[in-house]
Amino acid sequence: MAKSSLQGVEISASQFLDIFHRYDSDGNGFIEGKELQSFIRELQQARKQAGHELTDQMRDFVEKCEKNAVRKIGIIELVQILPIEENFLLFFRQQLKSCTEFMQAWRSYDADHSGYIESDELKNFLRAILQKAQKPFDNQKLEEYTAMTLKIFDSNCDGKLSLAEMARLLPDQENFLLSFQGVKMSRKEFNKMFAQYDQDGNGYMDETELDALLKDLCEKNNKVLNIGELSVYKSSIMALADRGRLFQTELALVLCADD
């Protein structure tokens, strides 16, 4: 079914999801390696069989892959390649243009500070994005967008989105959280580290304390963290802060592994 969907002039949201899951055969959130080769081959075959030329976006993507400029794609990159009807995922990404904007939005809509955006909170988040862009919608469409967003990004099927899951709305180059996946620590290690860098013991970090922490993390983990991106890391994480105060629960979203 996923292969035949590639023939369509327009692909529905549910067809798009089937396509992504078909080619992300190992379920790691990316189409890469042999999965990517298979996707390109079958995309070209499907379009030819349907009598359709590759779109400009498809052609550009194939050329980049042939030159090894693209080695893997996530769900948002796939959104830009395939002709999806009512392409709301791409629309949301256009409204959240940077990781800092995304983190600010997260802080606003994780209303109960649980560390997750649950269904009602997600609905409020999507409603605000749609209203900001003056995109028409009704309650039924909002329910569909909410359900589809959960279906796509809720990787562990718990009915809510963690920060890392929601961040898949961002393109890889903006998603600094991908780098921090390799430095996450246990709750015990995180608590010890927080106490060490919360130098005045007031229960939160200011920008100076966070700066010291991030510099040390970059030096110790230079294979996954880039010291040249320090200012990006800092501004994005401080977007979670309350009036310049970064509390332990907010920093844990970035640095603490799931219990």
Side-chain angles (χ1 to χ4, degrees), residues 10-62:
E10 281 194 335
I11 298 169
S12 70
S14 60
Q15 287 174 324
F16 170 79
L17 194 58
D18 287 339
I19 290 169
F20 185 79
H21 287 322
R22 169 184 165 84
Y23 293 102
D24 176 26
S25 56
D26 59 5
N28 71 345
F30 294 97
I31 299 174
E32 56 189 337
K34 291 183 178 180
E35 298 168 339
L36 186 57
Q37 294 172 12
S38 176
F39 169 70
I40 292 171
R41 182 176 62 254
E42 293 184 12
L43 173 65
Q44 292 171 318
Q45 291 172 352
R47 302 294 291 183
K48 185 176 181 180
Q49 289 169 4
H52 301 312
E53 297 287 336
L54 293 180
T55 65
D56 290 342
Q57 293 91 337
M58 291 175 185
R59 192 176 298 109
D60 181 59
F61 164 71
V62 171

Side-chain angles (χ1 to χ4, degrees), residues 160-208:
K160 54 190 178 183
L161 298 180
S162 68
L163 182 65
E165 289 172 331
M166 191 76 171
R168 291 172 63 198
L169 274 167
L170 293 166
D172 283 356
Q173 63 268 28
E174 284 289 342
N175 191 354
F176 84 100
L177 293 169
L178 293 174
S179 299
F180 279 82
Q181 291 299 312
V183 299
K184 285 196 170 187
M185 57 197 77
S186 69
R187 178 66 63 175
K188 183 177 180 180
E189 290 171 324
F190 172 76
N191 291 343
K192 182 179 179 180
M193 179 212 65
F194 190 92
Q196 177 185 348
Y197 287 92
D198 176 20
Q199 296 176 355
D200 52 12
N202 58 8
Y204 61 84
M205 286 190 192
D206 58 26
E207 194 166 335
T208 301

Side-chain angles (χ1 to χ4, degrees), residues 29-234:
F30 294 97
I31 299 174
E32 56 189 337
K34 291 183 178 180
E35 298 168 339
L36 186 57
Q37 294 172 12
S38 176
F39 169 70
I40 292 171
R41 182 176 62 254
E42 293 184 12
L43 173 65
Q44 292 171 318
Q45 291 172 352
R47 302 294 291 183
K48 185 176 181 180
Q49 289 169 4
H52 301 312
E53 297 287 336
L54 293 180
T55 65
D56 290 342
Q57 293 91 337
M58 291 175 185
R59 192 176 298 109
D60 181 59
F61 164 71
V62 171
E63 288 175 357
K64 287 180 179 177
C65 289
E66 289 174 345
K67 295 175 182 176
N68 282 326
V70 175
R71 299 183 180 221
K72 67 178 182 179
I73 56 172
I75 203 161
I76 292 300
E77 286 73 30
L78 188 62
V79 161
Q80 298 175 77
I81 298 164
L82 298 180
I84 305 172
E85 63 184 17
E86 296 193 44
N87 198 338
F88 75 101
L89 291 176
L90 183 57
F91 167 74
F92 292 136
R93 201 195 79 173
Q94 290 169 342
Q95 297 302 307
L96 297 172
K97 296 177 182 177
S98 72
C99 201
T100 299
E101 287 183 13
F102 168 78
M103 299 290 265
Q104 289 170 339
W106 173 274
R107 185 178 181 280
S108 297
Y109 291 98
D110 178 20
D112 57 4
H113 299 287
S114 65
Y116 295 90
I117 287 186
E118 299 176 27
S119 180
D120 287 344
E121 294 170 330
L122 177 61
K123 193 181 300 180
N124 290 335
F125 169 73
L126 300 181
R127 180 186 291 112
I129 292 290
L130 291 164
Q131 290 173 339
K132 177 183 175 183
Q134 299 181 331
K135 183 176 175 65
F137 66 97
D138 55 25
N139 286 335
Q140 180 180 350
K141 186 60 66 177
L142 183 61
E143 292 284 352
E144 290 175 6
Y145 286 164
T146 303
M148 185 56 63
T149 302
L150 277 172
K151 190 173 182 182
I152 291 173
F153 295 106
D154 182 15
S155 56
N156 61 357
C157 301
D158 61 358
K160 54 190 178 183
L161 298 180
S162 68
L163 182 65
E165 289 172 331
M166 191 76 171
R168 291 172 63 198
L169 274 167
L170 293 166
D172 283 356
Q173 63 268 28
E174 284 289 342
N175 191 354
F176 84 100
L177 293 169
L178 293 174
S179 299
F180 279 82
Q181 291 299 312
V183 299
K184 285 196 170 187
M185 57 197 77
S186 69
R187 178 66 63 175
K188 183 177 180 180
E189 290 171 324
F190 172 76
N191 291 343
K192 182 179 179 180
M193 179 212 65
F194 190 92
Q196 177 185 348
Y197 287 92
D198 176 20
Q199 296 176 355
D200 52 12
N202 58 8
Y204 61 84
M205 286 190 192
D206 58 26
E207 194 166 335
T208 301
E209 291 168 329
L210 179 63
D211 186 75
L213 165 61
L214 291 175
K215 282 180 179 176
D216 287 348
L217 280 178
C218 287
E219 289 175 1
K220 293 175 183 176
N221 301 276
N222 56 23
K223 291 185 178 180
V224 291
L225 297 180
N226 181 0
I227 192 73
E229 296 292 318
L230 181 62
S231 62
V232 174
Y233 300 155
K234 184 167 62 175

